[in-house]
């Protein structure tokens, strides 16, 4: 019985500056941020609120990375199930990693972070 492709990564896309990131084999979309301590003396446990979002997108590609560090452009994530990830403003290539092992294919990793806000 064939599995549902809506739960599979295959077919997901990442575009940077309007061009598809070639040979995409993996993608991580991370929304993180500082934790704000909102504990008051009467609280039995430490309490927190989520601080300002810290977005990061990491792409894994087959073969060496074709982009350059410091490149800027819009970023769009489209998952194979039809959903998208919010990538507001302009993003920048923060780091590039190419790697390979004996008798194994070369692979690469690209980390993107926002650099210019929406409307700027």
């Amino acid at each position: 019985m064939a599995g549902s492709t809506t739960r599979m990564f295959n077919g997901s896309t990442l575009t940077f500056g309007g061009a598809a990131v070639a040979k995409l084999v993996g993608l991580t979309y991370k929304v993180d941020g500082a934790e704000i301590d909102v504990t008051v003396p009467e609280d039995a446990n430490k309490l927190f609120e989520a601080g300002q979002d810290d977005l990061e997108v990491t792409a894994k590609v087959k073969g060496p990375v074709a982009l350059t560090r410091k490149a800027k452009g819009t970023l769009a994530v489209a998952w194979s199930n039809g959903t998208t990830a919010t990538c507001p403003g302009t993003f920048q290539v923060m780091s590039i990693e190419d790697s390979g092992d004996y008798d194994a294919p070369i692979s690469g990793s690209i980390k993107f972070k926002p650099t210019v806000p929406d409307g700027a």
Side-chain angles (χ1 to χ4, degrees), residues 99-120:
S99 63
D101 294 308
Y102 187 77
D103 281 344
I106 296 171
S107 63
S109 177
I110 315 157
K111 181 168 76 173
F112 301 90
K113 285 197 153 246
T115 186
V116 179
D118 262 346

Side-chain angles (χ1 to χ4, degrees), residues 37-39 43-48:
D37 186 347
V38 294
T39 311
D43 293 330
N45 297 310
K46 248 183 150 176
L47 304 173
F48 296 92

Side-chain angles (χ1 to χ4, degrees), residues 46-108:
K46 248 183 150 176
L47 304 173
F48 296 92
E49 290 289 334
Q52 190 172 11
D53 285 349
D54 182 5
L55 302 174
E56 179 176 305
V57 175
T58 303
K60 292 189 284 185
V61 296
K62 183 177 177 182
V65 174
L67 297 174
T68 57
R69 198 171 92 74
K70 300 182 183 179
K72 294 180 182 180
T74 57
L75 195 65
V77 174
W79 299 105
S80 62
N81 67 357
T83 61
T84 59
T86 304
C87 300
T90 301
F91 277 65
Q92 185 171 36
V93 175
M94 301 306 286
S95 65
I96 293 172
E97 181 178 351
D98 290 321
S99 63
D101 294 308
Y102 187 77
D103 281 344
I106 296 171
S107 63

